[in-house]
Amino acid sequence: AAIESEPLNFYYATNQVLFHLNMVFHPKPTLEIIQRLMKRIQERLDTRRQMIVQRFFIPTVCNFIEWHLPHDGLLKYSIQAAECAWDALLSLLQPMLPGGEAFRLSSSL
């Protein structure tokens, strides 16, 4: 597939997910794109860039989850996408939560 040969381009991958959603493709290839992109984000970007990319990609994943949630036969894809997004966000934010190594308490911005 074209997306496989495309270099690490998060804008392109996000647009591919939106294209698959808008064309009402079967959710399996769309979920594969979501999972592949989440993995690449974690492996290849520093924390700051991960936050920026996730800021724009997570709402798209939420749309995917919401659109497939009402259909019993497609529920498994919603669950897998939710787990993928949750794991990615948790691994990104956990060090910044109370008890994490990057947690700082401040009274100023």
PDB file of all heavy atoms in Angstrom, residues 42-58:
ATOM      1  N   GLN A  42       5.518   6.886  19.021  1.00  0.00           N
ATOM      2  CA  GLN A  42       6.241   6.542  20.245  1.00  0.00           C
ATOM      3  C   GLN A  42       7.708   6.230  19.990  1.00  0.00           C
ATOM      4  O   GLN A  42       8.574   6.590  20.781  1.00  0.00           O
ATOM      5  CB  GLN A  42       5.586   5.340  20.929  1.00  0.00           C
ATOM      6  CG  GLN A  42       4.266   5.670  21.568  1.00  0.00           C
ATOM      7  CD  GLN A  42       3.633   4.438  22.200  1.00  0.00           C
ATOM      8  OE1 GLN A  42       3.553   3.384  21.566  1.00  0.00           O
ATOM      9  NE2 GLN A  42       3.197   4.573  23.430  1.00  0.00           N
ATOM     10  N   GLU A  43       7.994   5.576  18.893  1.00  0.00           N
ATOM     11  CA  GLU A  43       9.362   5.140  18.620  1.00  0.00           C
ATOM     12  C   GLU A  43      10.248   6.245  18.072  1.00  0.00           C
ATOM     13  O   GLU A  43      11.455   6.254  18.334  1.00  0.00           O
ATOM     14  CB  GLU A  43       9.353   3.987  17.613  1.00  0.00           C
ATOM     15  CG  GLU A  43       8.782   2.703  18.148  1.00  0.00           C
ATOM     16  CD  GLU A  43       8.674   1.627  17.080  1.00  0.00           C
ATOM     17  OE1 GLU A  43       8.834   1.946  15.877  1.00  0.00           O
ATOM     18  OE2 GLU A  43       8.411   0.471  17.441  1.00  0.00           O
ATOM     19  N   ARG A  44       9.696   7.165  17.312  1.00  0.00           N
ATOM     20  CA  ARG A  44      10.549   8.068  16.533  1.00  0.00           C
ATOM     21  C   ARG A  44      10.497   9.536  16.926  1.00  0.00           C
ATOM     22  O   ARG A  44      11.258  10.324  16.381  1.00  0.00           O
ATOM     23  CB  ARG A  44      10.193   7.940  15.057  1.00  0.00           C
ATOM     24  CG  ARG A  44      10.402   6.532  14.553  1.00  0.00           C
ATOM     25  CD  ARG A  44      10.111   6.437  13.107  1.00  0.00           C
ATOM     26  NE  ARG A  44      10.212   5.050  12.661  1.00  0.00           N
ATOM     27  CZ  ARG A  44      10.036   4.689  11.416  1.00  0.00           C
ATOM     28  NH1 ARG A  44       9.751   5.577  10.501  1.00  0.00           N
ATOM     29  NH2 ARG A  44      10.133   3.410  11.092  1.00  0.00           N
ATOM     30  N   LEU A  45       9.618   9.907  17.843  1.00  0.00           N
ATOM     31  CA  LEU A  45       9.523  11.313  18.210  1.00  0.00           C
ATOM     32  C   LEU A  45       9.879  11.530  19.671  1.00  0.00           C
ATOM     33  O   LEU A  45       9.618  10.674  20.510  1.00  0.00           O
ATOM     34  CB  LEU A  45       8.100  11.836  17.957  1.00  0.00           C
ATOM     35  CG  LEU A  45       7.624  11.853  16.517  1.00  0.00           C
ATOM     36  CD1 LEU A  45       6.194  12.377  16.442  1.00  0.00           C
ATOM     37  CD2 LEU A  45       8.538  12.681  15.637  1.00  0.00           C
ATOM     38  N   ASP A  46      10.449  12.697  19.948  1.00  0.00           N
ATOM     39  CA  ASP A  46      10.703  13.040  21.348  1.00  0.00           C
ATOM     40  C   ASP A  46       9.372  13.415  22.009  1.00  0.00           C
ATOM     41  O   ASP A  46       8.344  13.543  21.343  1.00  0.00           O
ATOM     42  CB  ASP A  46      11.717  14.182  21.454  1.00  0.00           C
ATOM     43  CG  ASP A  46      11.261  15.461  20.764  1.00  0.00           C
ATOM     44  OD1 ASP A  46      10.095  15.868  20.935  1.00  0.00           O
ATOM     45  OD2 ASP A  46      12.079  16.067  20.046  1.00  0.00           O
ATOM     46  N   THR A  47       9.382  13.582  23.311  1.00  0.00           N
ATOM     47  CA  THR A  47       8.154  13.814  24.079  1.00  0.00           C
ATOM     48  C   THR A  47       7.391  15.035  23.583  1.00  0.00           C
ATOM     49  O   THR A  47       6.170  14.990  23.411  1.00  0.00           O
ATOM     50  CB  THR A  47       8.490  13.975  25.572  1.00  0.00           C
ATOM     51  OG1 THR A  47       9.159  12.802  26.012  1.00  0.00           O
ATOM     52  CG2 THR A  47       7.238  14.179  26.395  1.00  0.00           C
ATOM     53  N   ARG A  48       8.090  16.120  23.329  1.00  0.00           N
ATOM     54  CA  ARG A  48       7.420  17.350  22.887  1.00  0.00           C
ATOM     55  C   ARG A  48       6.705  17.148  21.552  1.00  0.00           C
ATOM     56  O   ARG A  48       5.567  17.533  21.371  1.00  0.00           O
ATOM     57  CB  ARG A  48       8.451  18.476  22.777  1.00  0.00           C
ATOM     58  CG  ARG A  48       7.844  19.807  22.425  1.00  0.00           C
ATOM     59  CD  ARG A  48       8.911  20.910  22.541  1.00  0.00           C
ATOM     60  NE  ARG A  48       8.361  22.178  22.153  1.00  0.00           N
ATOM     61  CZ  ARG A  48       8.354  22.646  20.905  1.00  0.00           C
ATOM     62  NH1 ARG A  48       8.859  21.921  19.925  1.00  0.00           N
ATOM     63  NH2 ARG A  48       7.836  23.822  20.624  1.00  0.00           N
ATOM     64  N   ARG A  49       7.384  16.534  20.610  1.00  0.00           N
ATOM     65  CA  ARG A  49       6.780  16.297  19.300  1.00  0.00           C
ATOM     66  C   ARG A  49       5.644  15.276  19.387  1.00  0.00           C
ATOM     67  O   ARG A  49       4.651  15.380  18.666  1.00  0.00           O
ATOM     68  CB  ARG A  49       7.840  15.850  18.310  1.00  0.00           C
ATOM     69  CG  ARG A  49       8.740  16.994  17.901  1.00  0.00           C
ATOM     70  CD  ARG A  49       9.671  16.605  16.769  1.00  0.00           C
ATOM     71  NE  ARG A  49      10.438  17.746  16.332  1.00  0.00           N
ATOM     72  CZ  ARG A  49      11.672  18.024  16.753  1.00  0.00           C
ATOM     73  NH1 ARG A  49      12.261  17.244  17.627  1.00  0.00           N
ATOM     74  NH2 ARG A  49      12.299  19.087  16.308  1.00  0.00           N
ATOM     75  N   GLN A  50       5.779  14.308  20.277  1.00  0.00           N
ATOM     76  CA  GLN A  50       4.683  13.354  20.476  1.00  0.00           C
ATOM     77  C   GLN A  50       3.422  14.082  20.924  1.00  0.00           C
ATOM     78  O   GLN A  50       2.329  13.804  20.438  1.00  0.00           O
ATOM     79  CB  GLN A  50       5.048  12.306  21.537  1.00  0.00           C
ATOM     80  CG  GLN A  50       5.988  11.240  21.056  1.00  0.00           C
ATOM     81  CD  GLN A  50       6.217  10.192  22.117  1.00  0.00           C
ATOM     82  OE1 GLN A  50       5.287   9.744  22.755  1.00  0.00           O
ATOM     83  NE2 GLN A  50       7.467   9.793  22.306  1.00  0.00           N
ATOM     84  N   MET A  51       3.584  15.019  21.851  1.00  0.00           N
ATOM     85  CA  MET A  51       2.419  15.779  22.340  1.00  0.00           C
ATOM     86  C   MET A  51       1.762  16.569  21.217  1.00  0.00           C
ATOM     87  O   MET A  51       0.536  16.621  21.124  1.00  0.00           O
ATOM     88  CB  MET A  51       2.834  16.713  23.466  1.00  0.00           C
ATOM     89  CG  MET A  51       3.116  16.016  24.751  1.00  0.00           C
ATOM     90  SD  MET A  51       3.467  17.232  26.021  1.00  0.00           S
ATOM     91  CE  MET A  51       3.974  16.173  27.331  1.00  0.00           C
ATOM     92  N   ILE A  52       2.575  17.152  20.370  1.00  0.00           N
ATOM     93  CA  ILE A  52       2.034  17.947  19.261  1.00  0.00           C
ATOM     94  C   ILE A  52       1.257  17.048  18.294  1.00  0.00           C
ATOM     95  O   ILE A  52       0.128  17.363  17.909  1.00  0.00           O
ATOM     96  CB  ILE A  52       3.170  18.700  18.534  1.00  0.00           C
ATOM     97  CG1 ILE A  52       3.759  19.771  19.457  1.00  0.00           C
ATOM     98  CG2 ILE A  52       2.657  19.317  17.234  1.00  0.00           C
ATOM     99  CD1 ILE A  52       5.047  20.381  18.954  1.00  0.00           C
ATOM    100  N   VAL A  53       1.845  15.933  17.913  1.00  0.00           N
ATOM    101  CA  VAL A  53       1.183  15.037  16.964  1.00  0.00           C
ATOM    102  C   VAL A  53      -0.070  14.428  17.581  1.00  0.00           C
ATOM    103  O   VAL A  53      -1.128  14.382  16.946  1.00  0.00           O
ATOM    104  CB  VAL A  53       2.159  13.944  16.471  1.00  0.00           C
ATOM    105  CG1 VAL A  53       1.441  12.901  15.644  1.00  0.00           C
ATOM    106  CG2 VAL A  53       3.287  14.575  15.665  1.00  0.00           C
ATOM    107  N   GLN A  54       0.027  13.988  18.843  1.00  0.00           N
ATOM    108  CA  GLN A  54      -1.134  13.392  19.506  1.00  0.00           C
ATOM    109  C   GLN A  54      -2.272  14.400  19.653  1.00  0.00           C
ATOM    110  O   GLN A  54      -3.437  14.036  19.589  1.00  0.00           O
ATOM    111  CB  GLN A  54      -0.759  12.831  20.888  1.00  0.00           C
ATOM    112  CG  GLN A  54       0.222  11.693  20.861  1.00  0.00           C
ATOM    113  CD  GLN A  54      -0.352  10.417  20.272  1.00  0.00           C
ATOM    114  OE1 GLN A  54      -1.332  10.405  19.551  1.00  0.00           O
ATOM    115  NE2 GLN A  54       0.295   9.318  20.586  1.00  0.00           N
ATOM    116  N   ARG A  55      -1.923  15.654  19.835  1.00  0.00           N
ATOM    117  CA  ARG A  55      -2.938  16.708  19.977  1.00  0.00           C
ATOM    118  C   ARG A  55      -3.874  16.740  18.770  1.00  0.00           C
ATOM    119  O   ARG A  55      -5.062  16.992  18.875  1.00  0.00           O
ATOM    120  CB  ARG A  55      -2.246  18.053  20.162  1.00  0.00           C
ATOM    121  CG  ARG A  55      -3.041  19.300  19.886  1.00  0.00           C
ATOM    122  CD  ARG A  55      -4.166  19.480  20.897  1.00  0.00           C
ATOM    123  NE  ARG A  55      -4.918  20.676  20.651  1.00  0.00           N
ATOM    124  CZ  ARG A  55      -5.957  20.774  19.830  1.00  0.00           C
ATOM    125  NH1 ARG A  55      -6.332  19.747  19.110  1.00  0.00           N
ATOM    126  NH2 ARG A  55      -6.617  21.896  19.698  1.00  0.00           N
ATOM    127  N   PHE A  56      -3.346  16.443  17.595  1.00  0.00           N
ATOM    128  CA  PHE A  56      -4.153  16.467  16.380  1.00  0.00           C
ATOM    129  C   PHE A  56      -4.667  15.090  15.969  1.00  0.00           C
ATOM    130  O   PHE A  56      -5.680  14.990  15.282  1.00  0.00           O
ATOM    131  CB  PHE A  56      -3.354  17.091  15.233  1.00  0.00           C
ATOM    132  CG  PHE A  56      -3.046  18.535  15.476  1.00  0.00           C
ATOM    133  CD1 PHE A  56      -1.801  18.925  15.937  1.00  0.00           C
ATOM    134  CD2 PHE A  56      -4.028  19.496  15.298  1.00  0.00           C
ATOM    135  CE1 PHE A  56      -1.532  20.259  16.190  1.00  0.00           C
ATOM    136  CE2 PHE A  56      -3.758  20.836  15.548  1.00  0.00           C
ATOM    137  CZ  PHE A  56      -2.512  21.214  16.006  1.00  0.00           C
ATOM    138  N   PHE A  57      -3.972  14.036  16.389  1.00  0.00           N
ATOM    139  CA  PHE A  57      -4.363  12.695  15.948  1.00  0.00           C
ATOM    140  C   PHE A  57      -5.408  12.041  16.851  1.00  0.00           C
ATOM    141  O   PHE A  57      -6.284  11.326  16.359  1.00  0.00           O
ATOM    142  CB  PHE A  57      -3.131  11.802  15.825  1.00  0.00           C
ATOM    143  CG  PHE A  57      -3.410  10.492  15.160  1.00  0.00           C
ATOM    144  CD1 PHE A  57      -3.913  10.456  13.864  1.00  0.00           C
ATOM    145  CD2 PHE A  57      -3.200   9.301  15.815  1.00  0.00           C
ATOM    146  CE1 PHE A  57      -4.200   9.256  13.239  1.00  0.00           C
ATOM    147  CE2 PHE A  57      -3.480   8.089  15.198  1.00  0.00           C
ATOM    148  CZ  PHE A  57      -3.982   8.069  13.907  1.00  0.00           C
ATOM    149  N   ILE A  58      -5.342  12.271  18.144  1.00  0.00           N
ATOM    150  CA  ILE A  58      -6.279  11.633  19.078  1.00  0.00           C
ATOM    151  C   ILE A  58      -7.740  11.960  18.753  1.00  0.00           C
ATOM    152  O   ILE A  58      -8.588  11.059  18.788  1.00  0.00           O
ATOM    153  CB  ILE A  58      -5.921  11.964  20.536  1.00  0.00           C
ATOM    154  CG1 ILE A  58      -4.603  11.286  20.929  1.00  0.00           C
ATOM    155  CG2 ILE A  58      -7.035  11.569  21.498  1.00  0.00           C
ATOM    156  CD1 ILE A  58      -4.628   9.767  20.919  1.00  0.00           C
TER     157      ILE A  58
END
